[in-house]
Amino acid sequence: MRRAVTACSILFASAVVAALQPAIATAQPVARPADSGFSFAVYGDSRSMMYLPYKAEQEAEARKLMVEMFDLVLPEKVSEEVVQKYVKLIYDPTTKELVQMMMPFDTRSEVTTLTLDKGWVTEASVEDVKLLPGVHRTMFRLQGGEWVAREVVRDVKSGRARFILNTGDMVWWGKQGPEPSENPYWKLVYEDVLNQLPAPDEQLRGAGLPGRVFPAVGNHEVWDDSDVEGLLKAFPYLKQFGVSDKRLIYKFDFNGARFIFLWTGKYDYRSPSSWDADRPAYEAQMKELRQWLDEAKAAGTRKVFISFHAPAFCRSGMGPIPEPQNPHKVIASYANDLDVVVLNGHVHTTELYEVDGVKYLLLGGGGAEQDPILPGRTSIKVPADYPPELYWQGQPPREEYNYLLVDVQPGQKTKFTLNRFRPWSAEPFATVELFK
């Protein structure tokens, strides 16, 4: 359906495929007793960057889509002016296909250069002509998200992980295509993940889990798809948990653990991490969260995993949920009775916190562009007593694609293992144990 084709990416893909062939060929799902431990995978912000009609004769259509994309954060007339004056589309003179695009980024002094193949952005870099003229920082490589999807699927196929959680933003938006089956972004989710996974095993089905992937809803899932048709067609079993176009939160229990999924709302550029959800609203969600946590306490369920898109704590990029809407106080009030882990995304980087007995993992390395690595976003202003960040530990974040494996054992400390890919590094692959 698409794909990036550089010499480096071909060599990379060949090496990874060769390394994985024996494991994929021989691995079988691992059956576990109902009372034993289990593992699951987590990743977030996994959406690819935009797809555009790529033939030269389709330039007007491509520009129209660009205007509609800018409309998400700018007034319509401003968007039209920006696209016409500042977005440059470059076509190969032989193939007449779009190969490069240059356009403004978040600030007036930032210019992003995007490389495209068959309509898909394969790489993106940003130059800040004011702060760092002449320096181009790569913030997106298509192969990064492909690596995450491939590895997560491999871990489910081998039995290393029973199922997958996603912290939101699996697709760019719902605009393109008259229905989800024709939307290039949802096609990508099916192609790279959903169609690759085995059917739920007997234990999952017995626990009422009719699928292998359980997402928290991000802001991108509702952009130009307010009735979440794409989400509900990709994950029809979410309806069994009460999810609908009017209710985007749910819960389930598996093997002695409770999983809770909340919704932080659509994006507002004036306050990009606000909890502005209305399906249901913040206070109604907090009421249900308390009820679900009280149920866990009453049932003797010790381990609880809470997923929502925007981060409760963050030191970079778009920052954390504002204090009046931040659920930390509600969550922390249960930390004496429950082992609570919170899984977030939205900010396109990785950060870790342990605050008032609650572990917070911001997992935004699933494949989206990583703007927190750009000048002015690596460290935002926070209060002097703000909790310390435990992953980068004071160093500026770098480009990194990753996913988490969580091992849950009754009566034991939960184990968190991060698998990462740093394409710029001399040692690109690593496995790191978190919260040791």
Side-chain angles (χ1 to χ4, degrees), residues 1-6 9 46-52 54 97 116-122 140-150 170 183-193 196 366-367:
M1 154 181 147
R2 76 213 196 281
R3 275 316 207 215
V5 227
T6 65
S9 64
S46 51
R47 63 169 179 78
S48 179
M49 288 190 75
M50 70 189 79
Y51 170 85
L52 291 174
Y54 57 91
E97 293 183 356
L116 296 97
D117 180 68
K118 301 299 182 184
W120 288 99
V121 177
T122 59
F140 171 82
R141 302 180 217 226
L142 187 65
Q143 68 188 46
E146 290 179 329
W147 177 83
V148 171
R150 184 167 54 245
M170 303 184 78
N183 178 292
Y185 309 108
W186 280 115
K187 281 184 178 180
L188 209 58
V189 175
Y190 283 105
E191 177 184 307
D192 286 358
V193 179
Q196 305 295 323

Side-chain angles (χ1 to χ4, degrees), residues 2 4 59 69 76-77 105 160 169 176 187 208 232-233 259 280 287 291 329 338 349 369 386 388 390-391 393 429:
R2 76 213 196 281
E59 181 172 353
M69 290 178 191
E76 183 176 354
K77 289 185 178 180
F105 200 56
R160 176 66 180 87
D169 282 4
Q176 290 166 262
K187 281 184 178 180
L232 293 176
K233 287 206 170 181
F259 293 82
K287 182 178 179 180
Q291 177 184 332
K329 289 182 179 178
L338 303 172
T349 192
E369 69 277 8
Y386 202 75
L390 305 176
Y391 188 63
Q393 298 183 7
F429 301 101

Side-chain angles (χ1 to χ4, degrees), residues 153-436:
V153 166
R154 182 176 73 95
D155 281 345
V156 174
K157 283 183 173 181
S158 71
R160 176 66 180 87
R162 305 299 301 283
F163 52 84
I164 301 166
L165 306 189
N166 188 286
T167 59
D169 282 4
M170 303 184 78
V171 293
W172 179 268
W173 65 349
K175 180 71 176 182
Q176 290 166 262
E179 57 184 61
S181 62
E182 298 180 45
N183 178 292
Y185 309 108
W186 280 115
K187 281 184 178 180
L188 209 58
V189 175
Y190 283 105
E191 177 184 307
D192 286 358
V193 179
L194 297 180
N195 291 346
Q196 305 295 323
L197 295 171
D201 59 30
E202 183 178 350
Q203 187 186 11
L204 289 171
R205 294 194 303 271
L209 303 187
R212 290 277 189 176
V213 182
F214 301 95
V217 181
N219 53 291
H220 278 260
E221 275 76 41
V222 303
W223 274 356
D224 276 302
D225 190 6
S226 59
D227 60 0
V228 293
E229 181 186 7
L231 177 87
L232 293 176
K233 287 206 170 181
F235 309 103
Y237 46 84
L238 293 183
K239 295 176 183 177
Q240 298 183 28
F241 303 122
V243 176
S244 70
D245 61 332
K246 297 177 177 60
R247 180 178 172 83
L248 300 179
I249 67 174
Y250 63 104
K251 65 166 174 65
F252 64 77
D253 297 316
F254 180 74
N255 216 7
R258 169 149 288 195
F259 293 82
I260 294 171
F261 301 81
L262 305 177
W263 186 53
T264 53
K266 57 187 184 301
Y267 178 89
D268 185 333
Y269 70 93
R270 293 162 297 189
S271 183
S273 291
S274 288
W275 192 307
D276 59 359
D278 56 1
R279 294 184 257 178
Y282 174 75
E283 288 299 336
Q285 288 193 54
M286 292 303 102
K287 182 178 179 180
E288 292 207 56
L289 174 61
R290 290 186 184 94
Q291 177 184 332
W292 291 343
L293 293 174
D294 286 338
E295 288 174 359
K297 281 176 55 177
T301 300
R302 175 68 181 167
K303 295 182 183 292
V304 177
F305 300 91
I306 306 174
S307 298
F308 50 89
H309 187 54
F313 293 94
C314 182
R315 285 178 171 265
S316 64
M318 294 177 285
I321 298 167
E323 183 65 28
Q325 308 158 322
N326 198 306
H328 171 67
K329 289 182 179 178
V330 172
I331 295 170
S333 68
Y334 289 84
N336 288 335
D337 301 299
L338 303 172
D339 181 7
V340 185
V341 176
V342 177
L343 305 163
N344 298 145
H346 190 52
V347 183
H348 303 182
T349 192
T350 305
E351 296 185 10
L352 306 178
Y353 299 87
E354 191 160 8
V355 190
D356 300 327
V358 180
K359 291 180 174 65
Y360 288 89
L361 298 95
L362 198 171
L363 300 167
E369 69 277 8
Q370 299 188 22
D371 39 313
I373 71 174
L374 301 175
R377 294 181 187 69
T378 60
S379 181
I380 62 174
K381 187 176 181 180
V382 295
D385 60 349
Y386 202 75
E389 195 283 311
L390 305 176
Y391 188 63
W392 302 103
Q393 298 183 7
Q395 298 298 311
R398 302 286 300 272
E399 181 194 10
E400 176 178 304
Y401 305 92
N402 59 44
Y403 69 100
L404 183 73
L405 287 169
V406 183
D407 295 308
V408 182
Q409 291 289 341
Q412 297 183 26
K413 186 177 179 181
T414 302
K415 182 180 178 182
F416 304 90
T417 305
L418 191 78
N419 293 300
R420 72 189 186 197
F421 169 39
R422 295 176 170 180
W424 48 268
S425 173
E427 298 180 2
F429 301 101
T431 298
V432 183
E433 188 175 341
L434 308 178
F435 298 113
K436 289 189 295 183

